[in-house]
Amino acid sequence: MEKNKVPQDEGITAGITREVQYAIDENGKYIKTFSKGWEPKNIVNSIAWDLINERVEMADEKIRKGKASPILHFMEKHQMNIPILADYTEIPRLKVWWHLKPKGFKNIKNEYLKAYSKVFEVSIEEIIQFNP
């Protein structure tokens, strides 16, 4: 692709990031250049974020109904599942599964809250006091 044809279609990452693209300059040599985005990719990203937000809302509804703990909200928001969250927190999978339940969350140890807090980049208080 020629440098002047590199797409510059701003999307959801506008002003946040840009992508490195390789293009051909006027001398026929490959160079690095930047793109603000590409419309097909912007559409896919938008659809993906809609699905992520839908999953977060479903998690919040479970929390409101008393069927899940606040951990579920943060897990969905960070696009994680139990195995991934267990790996990041270094908490056994069965414990993560248990902490997702209101009964398991009720008696959660501070060391586990610290691990979740670190991975989710929120305070322990934000996890404990989360109210969807």
Side-chain angles (χ1 to χ4, degrees), residues 7-24:
Q8 299 296 329
D9 304 325
E10 289 190 1
I12 61 173
T13 59
I16 300 170
T17 187
R18 56 191 182 165
E19 298 178 354
V20 174
Q21 300 287 324
Y22 291 92
I24 299 172

Side-chain angles (χ1 to χ4, degrees), residues 43-119:
I43 292 168
V44 171
N45 279 335
S46 179
I47 291 168
W49 277 108
D50 288 345
L51 292 173
I52 291 164
N53 290 329
E54 188 177 303
R55 288 184 62 114
V56 171
E57 184 52 44
M58 288 176 12
D60 290 352
E61 186 60 28
K62 285 182 180 180
I63 296 164
R64 280 191 284 276
K65 290 180 177 180
K67 295 181 178 182
S69 80
I71 301 294
L72 183 61
H73 167 86
F74 295 101
M75 186 177 84
E76 290 294 351
K77 185 177 176 182
H78 289 269
Q79 304 170 49
M80 295 180 164
N81 58 21
I82 291 173
I84 291 171
L85 183 55
D87 286 346
Y88 273 81
T89 58
E90 298 180 348
I91 298 172
R93 290 179 184 188
L94 189 58
K95 285 240 187 243
V96 171
W97 173 82
W98 181 241
H99 295 154
L100 289 168
K101 304 197 173 299
K103 192 174 181 180
F105 185 73
K106 182 180 175 183
N107 300 314
I108 194 169
K109 292 181 182 178
N110 202 43
E111 67 181 281
Y112 297 129
L113 283 171
K114 284 181 185 176
Y116 290 125
S117 171
K118 183 178 178 184
V119 168

